[in-house]
Amino acid sequence: MKVLVTGTEGYLGCLLAPELLRDGHDVVGVDTGYYKFGWLYRGMDRVPYTIDKDLRNLTVEDFEGVDAVVHMAELSNDPLGALAPDVTYKVNHQGSVQLAKLAKQAGVERFVYMSSCSVYGVATGSDVTETSPVNPQTPYAECKVLVERDVAPLADDTFSPTFMRNATAYGASPRMRFDIVLNNLAGVAWTTGEIAMTSDGTPWRPLVHGLDIAKAIRCVLAAPRDAVHNQIFNVGDSAQNYQVKEIADAVATVFTGCRLSFGDNGGDNRSYRVSFEKIATQLPGFACDWDAHSGAKQLHEVFNRIQLDAETFTGRGHTRLKQLQYLIGTGQVDAELFWTA
């Protein structure tokens, strides 16, 4: 299968592409290159041919001969969406819907979209499922809902979209991100020897390792069409719904000697527990291989091997907001986040 993957130079995309190549797929990447600066370690044994292009500039010709699209390249995450909400909507909503339309026009049969469990926002009561009401709290999450809404009607006998609502990602990646919860706590533990949380750590978050996200995508591409046609899947494992304080505890257990403390502030109001029963029972071959403890252990091993320092951990290379602020501040990208040269 010829698979076009957007965001192959990102945190998750650089994990996915080699796995797809190992599966025997012909992979073509697309990436605008915002995060080329963010290499943490050498960890990719193969990379696909990659088109250096903003997703907003793709044309139908870019999809020639493509059987499936995996769309991962959007502006992430919530702080970045707050920095430039108008641009976030233009890229994440309008750009993603246009990409899906171009793919369909070109005859692409499968379209796998990276959505997010953040669409649930604040949820109380029982674990939310794919049919639960959404309650997005940020422009980033709102765009995910809008893309699902606008791409689903494109489904027909020749075009099969699948929407993957990923839990919060974690785990090591050569294109590392330290602006997501478990990775951030691990970096703080390694570089300071202390996790001093201002919140009480009570909000709930579902987690999923980046390699398990890649595994879910691989399973979707291999699945019978009827199993994934116009379906939404929460991506994760029901056993990996954690309170933030449990995530911190998992990190502190691995990063021995780290001092852990909590505050009284409720902090982020987003809190939700998610059911992953559908993906466990309806997506052939999928089950998570990682949990918070093994993910923290993996990060500890990487940090020890490369001797991660505080400057690298806090630098712009591994925090999306800092890197884009740098590119804007230096005039390398304009206010619409298009490259200026």
Side-chain angles (χ1 to χ4, degrees):
M1 183 182 291
K2 184 174 182 178
V3 185
L4 185 146
V5 180
T6 68
T8 44
E9 294 181 354
Y11 171 66
L12 295 175
C14 78
L15 295 175
L16 172 66
E19 295 298 314
L20 293 179
L21 289 167
R22 275 188 279 273
D23 287 344
H25 295 295
D26 177 11
V27 181
V28 176
V30 174
D31 203 289
T32 193
Y34 293 146
Y35 308 116
K36 288 182 182 294
F37 182 71
W39 279 108
L40 185 66
Y41 62 93
R42 184 180 182 276
M44 297 162 59
D45 60 348
R46 60 189 73 187
V47 295
Y49 168 75
T50 298
I51 301 169
D52 186 2
K53 205 169 189 179
D54 191 296
L55 71 89
R56 294 168 288 181
N57 292 331
L58 291 173
T59 66
V60 68
E61 288 76 19
D62 291 314
F63 299 89
E64 183 177 353
V66 171
D67 302 299
V69 168
V70 179
H71 180 35
M72 312 182 84
E74 291 184 339
L75 297 176
S76 45
N77 46 5
D78 294 326
L80 179 57
L83 171 71
D86 291 344
V87 181
T88 296
Y89 282 102
K90 290 177 181 177
V91 175
N92 291 13
H93 175 215
Q94 298 171 15
S96 295
V97 174
Q98 177 64 15
L99 187 146
K101 290 179 178 178
L102 289 172
K104 181 175 181 177
Q105 182 182 342
V108 174
E109 295 179 0
R110 296 199 182 192
F111 185 85
V112 185
Y113 176 64
M114 294 295 96
S115 188
S116 169
C117 283
S118 66
V119 300
Y120 299 117
V122 178
T124 58
S126 59
D127 294 1
V128 293
T129 72
E130 291 81 354
T131 60
S132 298
V134 295
N135 187 17
Q137 301 292 301
T138 63
Y140 173 77
E142 289 171 1
C143 286
K144 297 296 188 185
V145 173
L146 293 172
V147 174
E148 291 182 9
R149 181 199 69 185
D150 293 344
V151 173
L154 300 177
D156 59 20
D157 291 341
T158 62
F159 185 72
S160 292
T162 306
F163 307 98
M164 313 294 282
R165 289 181 179 169
N166 298 318
T168 299
Y170 67 92
S173 167
R175 296 280 193 182
M176 193 63 185
R177 284 183 60 184
F178 286 123
D179 52 4
I180 42 184
V181 59
L182 191 150
N183 295 356
N184 180 263
L185 294 175
V188 169
W190 176 265
T191 58
T192 71
E194 182 176 9
I195 300 176
M197 300 190 65
T198 58
S199 75
D200 59 9
T202 57
W204 288 90
R205 291 286 191 282
L207 299 185
V208 63
H209 196 285
L211 286 172
D212 285 329
I213 293 175
K215 183 178 182 180
I217 295 166
R218 294 163 59 206
C219 289
V220 167
L221 294 176
R225 179 180 182 273
D226 290 347
V228 298
H229 177 71
N230 216 16
Q231 292 293 311
I232 298 172
F233 292 99
N234 293 333
V235 181
D237 187 312
S238 294
Q240 293 194 59
N241 282 292
Y242 300 99
Q243 287 183 290
V244 174
K245 60 185 178 182
E246 293 178 299
I247 302 171
D249 282 335
V251 171
T253 298
V254 171
F255 289 76
T256 55
C258 174
R259 297 183 300 276
L260 174 60
S261 62
F262 298 93
D264 298 324
N265 183 356
D268 193 336
N269 70 328
R270 292 171 302 157
S271 182
Y272 45 90
R273 290 177 52 95
V274 177
S275 169
F276 299 97
E277 181 179 358
K278 180 177 179 179
I279 195 169
T281 58
Q282 296 187 34
L283 183 60
F286 180 75
C288 285
D289 298 318
W290 296 80
D291 61 18
H293 184 270
S294 59
K297 184 178 179 181
Q298 179 199 34
L299 290 173
H300 187 279
E301 291 169 351
V302 169
F303 297 169
N304 185 58
R305 174 159 53 90
I306 68 171
Q307 286 299 293
L308 177 70
D309 56 50
E311 182 179 0
T312 300
F313 169 59
T314 60
R316 61 182 170 87
H318 309 293
T319 300
R320 293 294 181 255
L321 180 60
K322 289 181 181 179
Q323 174 64 4
L324 283 179
Q325 286 175 324
Y326 164 78
L327 293 175
I328 294 168
T330 56
Q332 295 183 70
V333 299
D334 63 22
E336 297 292 312
L337 299 186
F338 286 110
W339 290 101
T340 56

